[in-house]
Amino acid sequence: MKYLLTHTDRVLDLFLEHLSMTALSLCISLLLAIPIGIAITKYKRLYVPVTGLFGILYTIPSLALFALLIPITGLGPATAIIGLIAYSQMILVRNVAAAIRGIDPLIIEAAKGMGMSKAQIVFQIEIPLAVPVVVAGIRVAAVSIISIATVAAWINAGGLGTLIFEGLYRTHTDKIVAGTIAIAVLAIGTDLLFRAIERLLSPNMS
């Protein structure tokens, strides 16, 4: 706790660095996962190979994946962000697909009966109805990204993991404690934020 109190400015800088890295990774992940999730529900033959691929990526240890990427993208935030995007795809894509599959088929049939096009059904019916379930997946993915991003300090990507690695290398317990507390605050705060959004969007709780 002593380091946290005496070096508040540095901890805050690393906190914001960690937050920006994870937020950017999550945003890019969503831009990829939403269309992929929709595609594998429309073209069912793609579901198993796509989710299987992301499942394999998810099983690779984070340090190993970062090490594989270093010869291609080098040390730094870019490698970390690519790795974080890869890890989050399994959670997000499966969640998007499950959300769309969970929509009552009668609603889709009614929309078709009203003459709505496929694009209109996707953007005006499926996506709005899927949002509450998708947010639940975003919450899980966000907390996962925050956790894995801690390891990214090993490849000079910055963030709160820097404190933990410095503490380990120099046997500086206060740095480890400060980094751990800050990461826990960020993860818990993110979890609570998305839980609140879930409650707001859930028709059962409105």
Side-chain angles (χ1 to χ4, degrees), residues 1-83:
M1 286 294 292
K2 184 179 178 181
Y3 187 89
L4 187 62
L5 297 174
T6 57
H7 295 78
T8 306
D9 290 345
R10 182 164 189 249
V11 175
L12 181 59
D13 287 342
L14 292 172
F15 183 94
L16 295 174
E17 194 172 68
H18 201 103
L19 178 61
S20 63
M21 179 168 57
T22 54
L24 178 60
S25 300
L26 184 61
C27 289
I28 297 173
S29 296
L30 282 170
L31 290 175
L32 295 172
I34 290 174
I36 293 173
I38 293 172
I40 63 176
T41 58
K42 303 301 179 185
Y43 304 98
K44 296 179 181 178
R45 290 182 180 180
L46 294 175
Y47 184 86
V48 172
V50 170
T51 56
L53 173 62
F54 289 140
I56 292 170
L57 286 174
Y58 194 76
T59 62
I60 300 173
S62 54
L63 283 176
L65 182 59
F66 291 145
L68 288 172
L69 290 170
I70 287 172
I72 304 169
T73 53
L75 295 171
T79 297
I81 289 170
I82 292 170

Side-chain angles (χ1 to χ4, degrees), residues 110-163:
K112 290 178 180 177
M114 293 171 61
M116 295 181 72
S117 66
K118 290 183 179 180
Q120 287 176 318
I121 291 173
V122 169
F123 290 104
Q124 296 180 30
I125 303 294
E126 292 181 334
I127 290 179
L129 289 176
V131 164
V133 179
V134 172
V135 170
I138 295 173
R139 174 175 60 81
V140 175
V143 174
S144 178
I145 286 173
I146 290 169
S147 175
I148 297 171
T150 304
V151 182
W154 178 71
I155 57 168
N156 295 332
L160 292 166
T162 303
L163 292 176

